[in-house]
Amino acid sequence: MLSPLLAASSGYRIFVSGSMAYDRIMDFPGKFADHIMPDKIHVLNVSFNVNGLVERMGGTAGNIAYALRLLDEQPTILATIGKDYERYFKWLDENGISREGLRVIEEEFTAGAYITTDAADNQITGFNPGAMKHSCRYDVSQANPKHSIGIIGAGNLGDMMTLPKTYKAKNIPYIFDPAQSLPIWKGQDLAEAVAGAKVLISNDYELSLIMKMTGLSKARLLKRVGAIVTTLAEKGSIVATKDHEVRVQAVKLSKVPVDPTGAGDAYRGGFLKGLVAGKSLIDAARLGSVIASYAVEVYGTQSYRFTKRDFEARYKRTFA
């Protein structure tokens, strides 16, 4: 039987690139669809009264690093942060997450996401990139490729284009996860960044967009990457290689879901933990499903906690 949560760190150098952001999370008690008229979408002008606002630490890099730290890993965040960094640095220190790879941009504010979730778990997000407009400039050349792995999440476009080339040149395996950054990519650049990745990970909508932008079918993408992992929210995820495709179910929740924000990043952290622990892609996806289930039970992307015993019990309830 797989022991999903290992007691000790794998010893891997895990580079997590992407955004560092302050999330301002708002809850709309109704449904967006009830206030948007399809025949008037070209002149959209709506306002939603929300039930207050909560600020949390967030960003793709911060969220994935947080998940990895809960799983006893020591990730290195490759990202930029703004002049209002003090609160985030304090949070990282409290949680034992290294600040080594963070570059402070004194003339910018930290990126900010303004996320409104409705009663059907649909989301509308406004995002101010702030410091994310600048490259992290971190040098990974000294990393041992046999004990290193990177994940490239949505963040500074220059980093997202440069890091795949760097990782490939250094023979460092990497996971490519363009997510919210897709609208700013050009198809050829995206195809080049994807090529050579150990895993391409996205949700089902993003995968369709990647295929459209690159002109590559899923079968053709699988000739360029080791695997494609597609997350499907409450329906679980799909792990596809050139040889097979397996659906991994979502974990049964112990509580009523509260906020889906950050569940995808938590999944990625669990998936990475599985890879560096030497588990199969399927078992790595199962770890991702378990930790994602904790993320949806609380507000905020870095608010969940768990014990090893509870984590393993939740795993066994779903996958035993």
Side-chain angles (χ1 to χ4, degrees):
M1 177 66 185
L2 172 73
S3 179
L5 182 56
L6 305 183
S9 168
S10 65
Y12 262 70
R13 209 53 207 282
I14 306 177
F15 298 110
V16 182
S17 62
S19 62
M20 297 291 284
Y22 290 115
D23 288 342
R24 281 90 185 191
I25 302 169
M26 293 159 279
D27 172 38
F28 175 57
K31 296 181 179 180
F32 297 141
D34 294 336
H35 300 269
I36 298 175
M37 296 182 289
D39 60 329
K40 298 293 183 182
I41 198 73
H42 62 292
V43 288
L44 184 63
N45 186 359
V46 295
S47 176
F48 302 105
N49 287 334
V50 299
N51 291 334
L53 178 149
V54 177
E55 183 180 80
R56 294 284 189 270
M57 310 304 162
T60 54
N63 296 341
I64 295 170
Y66 177 79
L68 284 163
R69 189 68 195 98
L70 290 182
L71 295 167
D72 294 317
E73 295 299 329
Q74 298 283 349
T76 300
I77 301 174
L78 312 187
T80 53
I81 195 166
K83 56 188 174 183
D84 51 344
Y85 62 84
E86 290 92 348
R87 283 171 295 159
Y88 216 137
F89 275 17
K90 181 180 178 183
W91 173 255
L92 294 175
D93 292 344
E94 289 173 350
N95 287 277
I97 301 173
S98 172
R99 297 191 263 117
E100 174 195 349
L102 287 169
R103 177 186 172 209
V104 177
I105 308 300
E106 294 288 358
E107 66 271 23
E108 299 275 8
F109 285 104
T110 301
Y114 299 81
I115 306 162
T116 305
T117 305
D118 75 359
D121 282 342
N122 297 303
Q123 292 183 321
I124 295 176
T125 301
F127 188 76
N128 168 39
M132 199 183 77
K133 292 181 289 187
H134 300 262
S135 172
C136 70
R137 297 182 182 175
Y138 189 84
D139 181 12
V140 301
S141 63
Q142 301 305 310
N144 180 350
K146 293 183 178 180
H147 297 284
S148 300
I149 191 170
I151 181 167
I152 301 170
N156 175 267
L157 181 60
D159 288 337
M160 296 186 74
M161 294 176 68
T162 300
L163 283 170
K165 298 175 183 177
T166 301
Y167 289 146
K168 283 182 274 196
K170 300 295 180 183
N171 293 315
I172 296 173
Y174 69 94
I175 296 172
F176 191 67
D177 177 25
Q180 305 97 322
S181 73
L182 284 170
I184 61 175
W185 282 85
K186 294 181 180 179
Q188 182 58 41
D189 292 335
L190 181 61
E192 290 177 4
V194 168
K198 182 178 180 69
V199 178
L200 170 63
I201 188 168
S202 67
N203 62 34
D204 51 344
Y205 174 80
E206 292 161 354
L207 179 59
S208 297
L209 191 56
I210 291 168
M211 291 190 291
K212 180 180 179 181
M213 293 174 66
T214 61
L216 299 170
S217 66
K218 188 172 182 178
R220 291 177 65 192
L221 282 170
L222 282 168
K223 293 180 179 179
R224 301 186 175 209
V225 302
I228 295 176
V229 174
T230 309
T231 57
L232 305 169
E234 73 279 0
K235 296 180 181 179
S237 58
I238 296 173
V239 178
T241 67
K242 62 181 181 180
D243 299 317
H244 64 266
E245 186 168 296
V246 177
R247 182 181 287 266
V248 175
Q249 69 187 94
V251 167
K252 301 169 186 176
L253 298 180
S254 299
K255 303 176 182 177
V256 176
V258 173
D259 179 18
T261 310
D265 292 334
Y267 178 100
R268 286 148 176 78
F271 186 82
L272 264 166
K273 174 66 178 184
L275 292 184
V276 299
K279 306 304 179 184
S280 69
L281 292 170
I282 305 304
D283 286 336
R286 289 172 174 170
L287 290 179
S289 291
V290 175
I291 194 167
S293 71
Y294 287 100
V296 302
E297 292 177 346
V298 296
Y299 279 108
T301 57
Q302 298 177 36
S303 303
Y304 58 94
R305 302 272 182 177
F306 50 78
T307 65
K308 178 182 177 181
R309 177 176 294 180
D310 185 67
F311 191 101
E312 293 187 342
R314 188 172 293 201
Y315 181 96
K316 291 176 182 178
R317 284 199 300 270
T318 305
F319 300 114

